[in-house]
Amino acid sequence: EGYNGQFLGLYGSSGAVTFNSCDISTVENKNGWSYAMYGGSVLKLNQSTMTATGMSIDSGNTNVFYSGDNRTGYDAIYFNDSIVDFSDNKTGGFAINNVNIHVDNSQINVSNNAGNGCNSGYWIVNQSDFTMNGNRGGHALSCIGFEMTDSDLEILHNGYAGVYLQVRNSSLT
């Protein structure tokens, strides 16, 4: 709470960082990513929550979750039976490279932020609730592409683009 700078950073390894039944949160983090991944890192949330509220910046462009890794197109993020809520921040939500994000039986909410809801990534979403509302910076869901199956997708009242597909074909089933 009230931290100034990057809060949780993963710096790559041959394995994954896994959180089981954990509650990870930042409140009023300032001038840094709340969560960041670098160098081929892998993050797994199992039956956990990851939240960020009240983030602010003095200058520049910051998001709640950043992936600036040097690898693309690999399986980097797994949310299983988890809740991710990045809301009411003076920053953006996800700023992730071209990595695969797997979401199973989870809730993703990125709402009421000053920046984009999501910028990049390839989302594979199954039996989940995916909400991006009221993000004022531009895009709600800007991504490489997505495959969503048996899931709810709600995107309302964002800047100038609700869903913006950058490269790949996508599907909602």
Side-chain angles (χ1 to χ4, degrees), residues 122 143-148 163 165 167-172:
Y122 188 77
C143 59
I144 302 301
F146 58 81
E147 300 169 24
M148 293 193 187
V163 176
L165 298 176
V167 179
R168 294 166 82 181
N169 292 334
S170 295
S171 64
L172 294 169

Side-chain angles (χ1 to χ4, degrees), residues 109-152:
N109 180 39
V110 182
S111 297
N112 302 315
N113 297 296
N116 292 326
C118 175
N119 188 17
S120 206
Y122 188 77
W123 292 83
I124 300 120
V125 181
N126 186 39
Q127 296 182 335
S128 296
D129 294 322
F130 202 90
T131 304
M132 293 193 170
N133 293 334
N135 298 293
R136 298 171 301 282
H139 307 115
L141 178 58
S142 173
C143 59
I144 302 301
F146 58 81
E147 300 169 24
M148 293 193 187
T149 306
D150 297 326
S151 297
D152 292 321

Side-chain angles (χ1 to χ4, degrees), residues 40-111:
S41 299
V42 176
L43 171 66
K44 295 182 179 183
L45 288 185
N46 296 316
Q47 299 176 336
S48 295
T49 61
M50 177 179 273
T51 61
T53 59
M55 282 185 64
S56 64
I57 53 174
D58 290 333
S59 65
N61 182 17
T62 303
N63 293 276
V64 173
F65 193 109
Y66 173 73
S67 171
D69 64 29
N70 56 6
R71 292 178 49 200
T72 60
Y74 77 103
D75 297 320
I77 301 167
Y78 297 84
F79 299 136
N80 295 307
D81 299 313
S82 294
I83 297 170
V84 175
D85 188 356
F86 302 154
S87 298
D88 302 314
N89 296 292
K90 293 179 183 169
T91 64
F94 287 97
I96 46 185
N97 282 347
N98 180 13
V99 298
N100 300 325
I101 303 102
H102 298 267
V103 180
D104 290 302
N105 196 37
S106 294
Q107 296 174 4
I108 307 295
N109 180 39
V110 182
S111 297

